[in-house]
Amino acid sequence: LTAGEELRHAEGSSQSSIADVNADAAFAWTQGRLVCDDQPLSEIVAYLNRRYSIPIRVSDAASQRRFSGVLELDDETTVVRHLAAYLSLSVVRSGQAIILR
């Protein structure tokens, strides 16, 4: 690989692929940011759930809503509030989870 490329491989597959990648976006997490480029909310929440202790759930209706922007990852409550505001979703706390719907 050269600078600006990534290798994609699924475990158990015999094939891999090389794709161009924005290195600044890929390493934004080192500066406490997540760069999203037209990503479905379900993918964003999967990333956030690896970072924060309180799980975030997404309703089926909201899971494919798309988001582009940069999220500052300092505080889970703030990140969820910003996503909900941008995507016109409501936030519900249920037991030990946060639900976006």
Side-chain angles (χ1 to χ4, degrees):
L1 297 177
T2 60
E5 293 181 330
E6 72 177 355
L7 177 69
R8 293 183 183 184
H9 178 78
E11 187 175 336
S13 173
S14 62
Q15 296 185 357
S16 298
S17 64
I18 296 175
D20 291 332
V21 66
N22 177 329
D24 292 333
F27 290 101
W29 64 271
T30 64
Q31 297 174 353
R33 295 184 187 108
L34 175 62
V35 178
C36 305
D37 183 18
D38 194 35
Q39 288 179 266
L41 184 58
S42 59
E43 287 180 14
I44 296 167
V45 165
Y47 174 85
L48 296 174
N49 282 334
R50 292 189 298 272
R51 183 174 181 94
Y52 298 120
S53 59
I54 300 173
I56 304 167
R57 307 285 182 246
V58 183
S59 69
D60 289 340
S63 67
Q64 293 307 307
R65 305 275 309 263
R66 301 186 88 76
F67 175 78
S68 293
V70 178
L71 298 170
E72 298 289 334
L73 300 174
D74 294 333
D75 176 65
E76 181 178 26
T77 301
T78 302
V79 169
V80 169
R81 188 177 67 236
H82 287 154
L83 277 172
Y86 182 81
L87 296 171
S88 299
L89 298 172
S90 61
V91 178
V92 177
R93 292 194 178 263
S94 174
Q96 294 293 345
I98 299 169
I99 303 166
L100 288 168
R101 60 178 184 188

